[in-house]
Amino acid sequence: MKKIISGVLSVLLALSLVGCGTTKPTSTTTTDSNGKGALIGVAMPTQSLQRWNQDGANMKSQLEAKGYKVDLQYSNNDVNTQVQGIENMITKGCKVLVVASIDGAALTDVLKKAGDNGVKVIAYDRLIMKTSNVDYYATFDNFKVGVIQGQYIEKKLGLKDGKGPFNIELFAGSPDDNNATFFYNGAMSVLQQYIDNGKLVIGSKQKDFTTIAIQGWDSAKAQARMDNLITANYANGKKLDVVLSPNDSLAIGIVASLKNAGYGTADKPFPVLTGQDCDKPNVLAMINNQQSMSIFKDTRTLAAKVVEMVDAILQGKTAETNDTKTYNNGVKVVPSFLCDPVYADKDNYKQILIDSGYYKESDLK
Ligand code: BGC
């Protein structure tokens, strides 16, 4: 009965809006009392990186398996496209929006519209900044991602045993992505002591976040910066021993630059190089000794967590969170669920990536 009433109401709502030129929701979807059948908007930043395609596909299939309808949109890393896409989702009558933002601080106005229409918002992987209209945040522990990268470097180089000095260069992610500072701070929480005691020497002396950040997580920009760093600081046989890269898209650019500079021979092996996402080209780079490690964030786990949040919201319950202190978006602390990141490298990738069913052996050829 409830189902019929809710369906009739939706149709009446849709009819009442015809011809009045309003931007109010025009959904005709039928939902039951648990919200099943509801339309859920999923806004992902770009299809150009493998991880977001996987995130989008997992979200869609897991939501559909639970009986929801899904409006999945990508925005080619363009902020205006994402804003328009979200506006469109609100107009179509989405009940919950799941948003992996491009610029975390650029959604205030459009999410005000969501809030005014009673649409709930979950920030996916990246925190949405400067708005009260975000209900939950689901991500991996971003500080820990950086810590694991820093500890990997520490272990590979034997820094705890006093080995060194080693030549290092540092990269950070996109300044408009709140995660980027967490990755940087996490890694520096391990590495700073070795920079201070001279066991890690930054040839370029470039260390502060804004100087080393790469806008848009762009591989070509990372490659260009690495080219410049090599030309200016590593001429005349001076070798680079380690590069901190926060993720795989930067690592790809860094590897290309290192290759061009003659790294990858017995005399001049690739430096220790970190990454994140375990994108296929990067796993291949690990197998080929060009990249040392990559943080593995199982997007299936994150999607499952977000689907649980959607369920809770639509059933009028409080979703499970495990961090209510860390993620302040400038307006409020957003209740968060942090999943646990791990690392993969040449030694354990089969167990982490293949045995878990994330990739098939044939994917990595
Ligand atoms: C994500 C990373 C990703 C990066 C670039 C970050 O917000 O947490 O997993 O590599 O964006 O897309």
Side-chain angles (χ1 to χ4, degrees), residues 248-294:
D248 282 356
S249 60
L250 267 56
I252 280 291
I254 293 166
V255 166
S257 170
L258 290 166
K259 259 193 219 162
N260 290 341
Y263 284 84
T265 62
D267 286 356
K268 209 175 164 187
F270 277 97
V272 172
L273 172 63
T274 56
Q276 162 174 211
D277 294 334
C278 286
D279 284 346
K280 283 179 204 165
N282 298 76
V283 179
L284 280 171
M286 292 198 292
I287 295 169
N288 295 323
N289 299 315
Q290 298 169 339
Q291 180 174 334
S292 312
M293 61 87 85
S294 183

Side-chain angles (χ1 to χ4, degrees), residues 133-146:
N133 296 110
V134 51
D135 298 276
Y136 293 105
Y137 178 36
T139 189
F140 282 82
D141 185 335
N142 295 304
F143 187 84
K144 190 168 174 189
V145 165

